[in-house]
Amino acid sequence: MHTNKNKYTTHNFKTDIIIRVLFIVLILLLMFLLVKKLKYDSCLSVSNDKNSESVLIKTAKTINRNIKNIGNNNAAPSPSGNTSQTTDPASSGALNLDAPMVALTFDDGSNNSTTGRILDVIEQYGCRATFFVVGNRLKANASSVQRASSLGCEIGSHSYDHAQLKGMKSSGIKKEFSKTNDVLKELIGKKAPVVRTPYGSTDKKVLKAVKYPVILWSIDSRDWETRNKKKTVKNIMNTVKDGDIILMHDLYEETADAVEVIVPRLLNQGYQLVTVSEMMEAKGIKLKPGHAYFNGRR
Ligand code: ZN
C-alpha cells in the first residue's frame, strides 16, 4: 500500500513537471511570435514613411522635369542690355498656376560648404531657389555657384563687395554689379538677371544706377540673427503664403539645417518652390530694371 502510494506520487510528480515545462514552452513560443509581429509592424511603418517620402521626391522631380522641358521653349524675362538669359532652362511654363508658389532666396554666398548642403536638399526634392551671390566670394567657391546654376537655380547679384550702395556714386554702384557679372560670365557663362542690394538698402539713385530688377523680400527668416534652426523654420512656416519671397543666408549651418525641414514641409503643403524670375513670370509680373519687388502678388 505504501509502495503503491509512492509509485502513484512519483508518476503524478512527473506528469506535473511535463505539464509545467510544456506550459513554459508554449508561453515562450507565444512571446516569440508576438515579438516577431511587432518587429514586422515597425518595419512596415518605416517602409511606409520611406515610401511617402520617395513619392514626394518623385512628384517634385516630375514637376521640375516638366518645367525644364517647357522652359527650354519659353525664354526667361531678360532685363535690357542682358541677352544671355534667354537659354535659361529654369523658365516657367509648366507651373500649376492654381497652386501656391514661393521663392526661397539666399544671400551672401556662395559658400561651398553651406551652399552645398542647401543644394543637396534642392537636388533631392527637384526644386529650385535663387542665390544672390557676393562677387568677391565666387572664385573661391566656384563649384557651388556652378552647381546651383546647373540645377536650374537662379543666380542673382548681391554686389561685388557687399557694399552699402546708398551714398555711393552711380559709377561705383554700376561697377559693383559689372564686376560680379564678369566673374559670373567666367564661371557660369551668364550674367545675373536680377539683383538684391546689400542690406536691402535702396533709394531712387541706387535703383536708377543698378539697371536690373531689384528683388527684396516679404518674409525675413532672421536666420543671420538667431542662428537657430527652429526659429528660422518657425519664422517662415508661421507666415508663409502664395507669392512670398523668403530671405535666408547660405552662410550658416543652422540655415542649411532649417532648409532640410522647410523644403519637404512646403512641398507637403502644396507649394511649388521656384526661382524669383519663374514666380514673377507665372504671376504675370514683368520684371523691369530699376524697380524694386517685394513679392509675387499683384
Ligand atoms: Zn547681404
Side-chain angles (χ1 to χ4, degrees), residues 192-206:
V194 286
V195 311
R196 175 170 287 154
T197 48
Y199 316 103
S201 164
T202 52
D203 60 15
K204 270 189 181 176
K205 187 182 164 192
V206 170

Side-chain angles (χ1 to χ4, degrees), residues 107-108 158 162 198-199:
D107 289 9
D108 295 356
H158 198 42
H162 205 272
Y199 316 103

